[in-house]
Amino acid sequence: MIDPVLSQSQPVRGMWMWNTASLLNSPEQIGVFRTESERINITDVYVYIAPNWWLTRGSEIGDLTSALHACGLSTATRTISMYPRLRRVSSRAYMIWLRSMRMPIRTRSSMATKADIEPQDTQQHSGRFHNGIAESRLDADQRLSRDTLLRKWVDTLSWASRSVRTNGMQFGAALPFWLHDYEGEALTVPSTPSADRVSVMNLLMPILDEYVVMSYDTDSAIAASRVVQQAAYASQRLQEGQSMPRVLGAVEVGTGVGSGVSYGDTPGKGSKAVVLRDIEVIAQSLRLYPAFRGVAIHHWQAWYELAS
C-alpha cells in the first residue's frame, strides 16, 4: 500500500478534439472552444491530425495550435497533443503517421503525441485477441495469437515513444481500463522466450509520459475504481524513485456509445453540469495518489452539443 501524498502539481483536465477540420481557418469556432475551455479549466487538448495534413494543411495546423496556446494566463500551461485516430493495432499505419510529422512547432516543449490504438478484437478484426476469455482459459493457439498481438501492440508503442521523445516531445496513450483485470486476470506477455510473463500495464508505464485510462462509466464510483490500480502502481514506483507517467481518468459524453457508459446516452446524466460534478468526485476519490493528475473528456464536439 502506498503512503498517500497529495500532489501539489496543477490538475490536468484534457479534451479530445476529433473535429479539428471544422476549426482550421475558423476563428469563430476557435473562439468558442477557447471560451469554453477557460470556463471548465481545460489544460490539455488532444488534437486529431490526419496523416496527409502535415503536407497539405501544415500552416493551418500551426495557426490552430498557436491560437490554442494563446488562451491567456489561466491556460498558459496548455498541452497540444497530436493524435492519430487508429482504434486497432496497426503498427505500419501508426509509424507512417509519426514519420509524417514535419512541423516546426513540434519542437515546443509543450507539444506531445498521444496514441489511441487498442488490442481487442472488433467487427472488422476478429479472432486474434479472443474477447471475453481470461488468459488462463486460452488454449495454446489462442494464447500464441493473443501474445503475438499484445507484443506487437507494446512494441509499436515502445517504438513510438522512442521516436517522439527523441524529438523532444512527450508521449502519452489512451488505454483500456482492464489491462490489469481482464476477466479477473491481468494481461501478460512473455518478456523473453524463457522468462516469466510480465504485466502489459507494467511494461507500458515506463514508456509513457501520460497514461489516460478510458475509465468510461457514468457512475463516478465505478469510473474512479477503474483508475485506482494504475494510479497506485505509478505512485508506488514514483516513491521508489522510478520515472512514471501522470495518470488520468476519462469520461465519455458522446451519443450512440451506450447508456451507463456515456453521459450523452444516460437518462438523468446528459448535462455538462452533471459531468463536471462527477469529474470532481472522481478526482477527489483519487487525489491521494501522487501519480493521479486529473480527468479527460471525450470529446469536444459532443461536449459542445451536450445540454448545459
Side-chain angles (χ1 to χ4, degrees):
M1 183 65 180
I2 69 168
D3 178 22
V5 177
L6 184 61
S7 174
Q8 299 300 312
S9 301
Q10 177 190 12
V12 173
R13 182 164 295 174
M15 177 72 79
W16 276 270
M17 180 187 289
W18 293 120
N19 62 326
T20 312
S22 67
L23 278 80
L24 295 176
N25 285 330
S26 177
E28 180 180 357
Q29 289 295 315
I30 294 173
V32 170
F33 177 81
R34 288 173 57 176
T35 298
E36 181 66 358
S37 67
E38 290 172 5
R39 184 184 76 85
I40 64 174
N41 299 316
I42 294 300
T43 61
D44 294 22
V45 189
Y46 313 141
V47 181
Y48 167 62
I49 303 294
N52 64 320
W53 287 3
W54 295 111
L55 297 175
T56 62
R57 312 192 73 170
S59 62
E60 296 170 81
I61 296 170
D63 291 343
L64 173 61
T65 55
S66 295
L68 294 176
H69 274 287
C71 282
L73 294 176
S74 64
T75 54
T77 56
R78 179 180 306 279
T79 297
I80 311 298
S81 298
M82 299 307 175
Y83 208 56
R85 190 166 197 169
L86 301 171
R87 301 296 298 178
R88 173 71 180 166
V89 172
S90 176
S91 57
R92 181 175 180 274
Y94 190 62
M95 290 174 182
I96 290 172
W97 184 89
L98 278 177
R99 286 167 177 157
S100 74
M101 296 175 65
R102 293 293 183 271
M103 293 292 293
I105 55 172
R106 66 204 280 260
T107 59
R108 285 180 181 265
S109 61
S110 56
M111 290 295 292
T113 298
K114 188 176 295 297
D116 186 0
I117 50 177
E118 302 172 33
Q120 67 270 30
D121 293 332
T122 64
Q123 287 185 329
Q124 294 78 24
H125 304 84
S126 62
R128 298 182 64 193
F129 184 80
H130 304 290
N131 292 348
I133 305 177
E135 190 170 287
S136 64
R137 294 192 289 111
L138 295 170
D139 63 32
D141 289 340
Q142 291 172 332
R143 180 183 292 270
L144 177 61
S145 176
R146 183 181 289 180
D147 282 352
T148 301
L149 182 65
L150 289 176
R151 189 73 255 182
K152 177 182 178 182
W153 186 48
V154 172
D155 288 347
T156 298
L157 292 174
S158 298
W159 176 88
S161 175
R162 290 192 301 271
S163 299
V164 170
R165 286 172 163 180
T166 297
N167 282 286
M169 296 185 293
Q170 295 190 350
F171 181 66
L175 298 162
F177 67 86
W178 37 256
L179 294 182
H180 68 284
D181 184 8
Y182 188 76
E183 299 296 324
E185 300 175 13
L187 292 179
T188 67
V189 291
S191 56
T192 67
S194 59
D196 292 337
R197 299 180 69 86
V198 180
S199 163
V200 170
M201 185 190 80
N202 296 2
L203 286 174
L204 292 176
M205 281 278 180
I207 69 171
L208 299 175
D209 297 293
E210 185 168 271
Y211 191 113
V212 182
V213 183
M214 292 182 285
S215 52
Y216 306 145
D217 198 288
T218 57
D219 184 324
S220 57
I222 294 176
S225 72
R226 290 176 172 177
V227 189
V228 168
Q229 184 68 25
Q230 299 87 337
Y233 178 85
S235 296
Q236 180 64 52
R237 297 305 180 274
L238 278 175
Q239 293 187 328
E240 294 170 357
Q242 298 182 36
S243 177
M244 284 284 118
R246 53 191 174 271
V247 176
L248 274 65
V251 295
E252 172 66 70
V253 300
T255 57
V257 180
S259 180
V261 178
S262 173
Y263 287 83
D265 291 326
T266 305
K269 288 278 191 173
S271 74
K272 294 182 175 74
V274 171
V275 176
L276 293 174
R277 181 198 67 196
D278 283 3
I279 285 176
E280 291 301 323
V281 172
I282 294 168
Q284 286 298 310
S285 300
L286 298 163
R287 71 188 188 283
L288 295 181
Y289 294 103
F292 175 75
R293 293 293 305 282
V295 179
I297 300 170
H298 187 270
H299 52 92
W300 164 243
Q301 183 64 35
W303 176 263
Y304 177 72
E305 295 170 356
L306 197 66
S308 297

